[in-house]
Amino acid sequence: MNTEFDSTADRVVIIGGGPGGYEAALVAAQLGADVMLIEANRCGGSAVLTDVVPSKSLIATAEMMDEIERSGGLGIRIENAEDTESGDRRVTADLEAVNKRILSLADAQANDIYEGLIRAGVKVIQGRATLAGRDQVHVVESGGTEYTLEASTILLSVGAHPRELPTAQPDGERILTWTQLYDLDELPEHLIVVGSGVTGAEFASAYRAVGTEVTLVSSREKVLPGQDEDAADVLEFVFRNKGMNVLSRSRAASVTRTDDGVEVVLADGRRVEGSHCLMAVGSIPNTEGLGLEKAGVRVSESGHIVVDGVSRTSRAGIYAAGDCTGVLPLASVAAMQGRIAMNHALGDAVQPLKLRNVASNVFTAPEIATVGFTQQNYRENPTDIDTVMLPLDTNPRAKMLGIEDGFVKIFARRGSGSILGGVVVGPRASELILPITMAVENRLTVDQLSASFVVYPSVSGSLTEAARKLHRHL
C-alpha cells in the first residue's frame, strides 16, 4: 500500500526513538508542532534497551558487590549461610537473576518513554524510515504498510551499533558484543575483554566485581586512553590490585571458539584462553541506507552525519542528534542535541551546544567523572592555568567509608581564578562532579566555590578544599 500524506506547516518527522529522538519529540510537541516519531524497535533506542540502562544496571549490582568486598575493613562480618570447603564467607551474583532484573528495568523504561510521548501528543510509528528527499520521509511500518510523509523539519537520531572485526565475529554465545551479554544465564568463568575504552573498562570492572576472572586486552599503553591520565593510572592500579589481568600494548588479531571457550590470538603471537570474549572495539553509525545522499546530507569519512552547534546538517531543514553524529557518544549529549534542534527549527530561544560544559562519567570502580578542561589542555597552557589534585584518602568522610583510591582535581584560569574544568575519581563520582560542572557553566571562581558551605564530614568537602588551595593572593 502506498499513500501520500499532505505536508503540514509545522510537521516534524523524527527517525529514531533514542534519547536524541524522544527528547526532541517532547520539545517539538510542547512548541505546538505536529510530531511523528518512527522507531524500528521500541522507544528509548539502544540507550534504554541494550546500552546505557542495562549496562548501568549491571554496574549497580557490581557496585554493591564492591561495597560488600570493602565491608571487612569497616568491621562488618558476613556470616556464611552456606558452608564452603574453606569456611570463608562467600557472596556470589546470580547472573540469571541479575539479567532478568536488567531487562525488566529496560522494558519498564521503554514503556514509560512511550507513554510520555503519547501523552504529549506525539504519534509514534513502529517501522523503518528513510529519506526520500529534502522534506520527504518514506516509511515502512512493521506491519508492511508503506507511505511517504512530508515534513517541514526532519530529525535523524538513528544511533550506532557495535563494530565487528572480520577475525572476531560475535556468535552471541561465547564471542559477544555488549548488546549480547544479557542473554547469559551464568557468570563467565573467565571473560576476556578486547578493548580498553569506556565500554571495555566498564564491563571489565563490573564482571570482576561480581566474581568473574577478567583479562583486559588493551592496544594502548594505558587503559582509557582518552581520559585524564591521572585518573587512568588510578583505575589501572585498582584493576591490577584486585586481580585483573591487564595486557597493555596488546592488540587482538583474532578470536575463535574452542571446545569449551574462546582463544584470543594477539598480534605478537601470544594466545589467551578464556570461557567468553567481549568485543568492545568501538561502534559504527547507523547511517548506511538512510537515504542521506538523496537528501543531500553530508557525512564524514567515518559515516557520521556532520552537524553544527545547533544540530543542523548540510541540508536546510534536516537536523541530526546522538551517536550518528559522532559529536560525543553520550545519552545526555544526544538529548541536548535533540532539544536544541527543535528549539532552533521551531523558532524558540536556543544556545549552541558547548562541549566544554559537558560532564561525562566512566562507570567503573572507582568512577571517573570529568568536565571542561583536561590534563592535555593544562600541558598546552601551563603558564595560563593553575591546577590542584587532592587525594580522597585525606578526606575524613572517605576514611569513614573505607575509600582509599581516588582524587579531586580542579583546573582554573591563572589570575582570574575562573574554574575551567575538573576531574573526580572515586565512588559516585558522577554525583560529585555537579558542583564543578555548575562552576564551569556559570564561570564561577575558585574563591566562590570555596566560600560555599559543605556538610562536614562529606566527600564533597574535598571540592571546596581543592578550590581553597587554588586561591592566589593578589
Side-chain angles (χ1 to χ4, degrees):
M1 176 182 177
N2 286 282
T3 307
E4 289 286 341
F5 283 77
D6 292 334
S7 63
T8 301
D10 282 328
R11 171 172 286 167
V12 174
V13 176
I14 298 170
I15 304 177
Y22 71 73
E23 287 287 347
L26 292 173
V27 170
Q30 185 179 27
L31 294 175
D34 173 29
V35 188
M36 297 185 178
L37 185 149
I38 302 101
E39 167 59 47
N41 195 350
R42 298 181 63 195
C43 292
S46 61
V48 168
L49 300 174
T50 61
D51 195 351
V52 181
V53 171
S55 66
K56 276 48 180 181
S57 299
L58 171 66
I59 288 165
T61 299
E63 286 177 348
M64 185 63 68
M65 297 283 287
D66 201 56
E67 288 181 12
I68 293 172
E69 186 178 306
R70 283 204 323 265
S71 65
L74 303 181
I76 297 174
R77 301 292 179 262
I78 300 175
E79 295 296 333
N80 192 22
E82 183 179 324
D83 290 336
T84 61
E85 292 182 6
S86 64
D88 296 333
R89 64 189 180 90
R90 182 167 168 262
V91 179
T92 60
D94 180 346
L95 190 63
E96 185 176 6
V98 170
N99 283 342
K100 184 177 180 180
R101 173 178 180 269
I102 287 170
L103 296 177
S104 175
L105 289 172
D107 182 68
Q109 183 68 8
N111 287 338
D112 287 346
I113 293 169
Y114 173 78
E115 291 168 4
L117 289 168
I118 297 301
R119 285 195 301 270
V122 177
K123 182 177 181 182
V124 180
I125 301 168
Q126 186 173 35
R128 297 188 177 276
T130 55
L131 296 177
R134 147 63 191 89
D135 54 3
Q136 292 183 321
V137 176
H138 183 70
V139 180
V140 180
E141 292 190 7
S142 55
T145 303
E146 294 187 38
Y147 48 85
T148 299
L149 293 171
E150 293 193 6
S152 56
T153 301
I154 298 170
L155 176 76
L156 309 173
S157 183
V158 293
H161 62 276
R163 179 170 170 251
E164 298 180 5
L165 302 181
T167 56
Q169 286 292 306
D171 59 13
E173 295 178 354
R174 296 283 182 174
I175 306 174
L176 308 157
T177 67
W178 63 82
T179 67
Q180 299 169 328
L181 285 168
Y182 313 107
D183 295 327
L184 297 178
D185 294 330
E186 297 181 353
L187 280 175
E189 182 180 343
H190 179 187
L191 179 66
I192 303 170
V193 179
V194 176
S196 63
V198 173
T199 300
E202 287 185 344
F203 279 112
S205 178
Y207 272 91
R208 186 218 59 79
V210 298
T212 293
E213 180 185 354
V214 175
T215 295
L216 180 60
V217 179
S218 172
S219 62
R220 305 294 185 90
E221 185 175 348
K222 298 181 180 182
V223 300
L224 294 175
Q227 294 292 319
D228 180 89
E229 293 176 9
D230 294 321
D233 286 341
V234 170
L235 185 64
E236 185 164 335
F237 169 79
V238 172
F239 278 179
R240 294 183 187 275
N241 194 45
K242 291 187 176 181
M244 187 184 299
N245 182 23
V246 181
L247 302 179
S248 303
R249 289 174 289 184
S250 301
R251 187 176 297 277
S254 66
V255 183
T256 55
R257 289 279 298 262
T258 61
D259 291 340
D260 56 355
V262 295
E263 181 183 68
V264 178
V265 178
L266 304 181
D268 60 8
R270 287 177 294 164
R271 298 172 184 270
V272 184
E273 292 188 352
S275 62
H276 297 76
C277 179
L278 168 64
M279 298 300 298
V281 290
S283 59
I284 297 174
N286 297 324
T287 53
E288 187 175 353
L290 191 57
L292 298 176
E293 291 185 4
K294 184 179 295 186
V297 176
R298 188 162 66 90
V299 298
S300 65
E301 291 185 6
S302 61
H304 291 94
I305 299 171
V306 178
V307 294
D308 64 10
V310 292
S311 305
R312 289 179 296 190
T313 69
S314 57
R315 184 70 167 177
I318 301 180
Y319 296 74
D323 290 2
C324 64
T325 66
V327 173
L328 267 180
L330 299 172
S332 58
V333 172
M336 185 63 76
Q337 285 181 294
R339 290 191 290 263
I340 289 173
M342 291 304 100
N343 286 327
H344 184 271
L346 298 174
D348 202 11
V350 63
Q351 287 188 344
L353 180 68
K354 298 177 182 177
L355 293 181
R356 73 176 182 87
N357 295 349
V358 174
S360 63
N361 193 71
V362 183
F363 289 86
T364 47
E367 292 183 6
I368 300 172
T370 58
V371 66
F373 265 48
T374 65
Q375 191 70 25
Q376 178 64 30
N377 296 138
Y378 173 68
R379 278 199 300 270
E380 293 171 355
N381 301 279
T383 59
D384 298 327
I385 303 172
D386 286 326
T387 184
V388 65
M389 187 169 77
L390 194 65
L392 283 185
D393 61 11
T394 63
N395 178 287
R397 179 66 170 167
K399 291 176 182 177
M400 297 171 193
L401 294 171
I403 299 171
E404 298 177 347
D405 303 299
F407 62 81
V408 169
K409 181 191 291 187
I410 294 178
F411 299 100
R413 180 77 65 188
R414 184 168 295 176
S416 69
S418 295
I419 296 174
L420 303 174
V423 182
V424 180
V425 179
R428 303 292 195 275
S430 51
E431 309 294 342
L432 288 171
I433 196 67
L434 180 59
I436 303 179
T437 303
M438 294 179 68
V440 171
E441 177 72 32
N442 294 286
R443 301 182 184 278
L444 301 183
T445 66
V446 290
D447 289 344
Q448 288 174 312
L449 179 59
S450 66
S452 302
F453 278 92
V454 292
V455 172
Y456 180 86
S458 66
V459 179
S460 59
S462 288
L463 298 176
T464 53
E465 184 180 350
R468 282 195 295 274
K469 289 181 178 294
L470 285 173
H471 172 75
R472 293 176 67 88
H473 179 70
L474 300 178

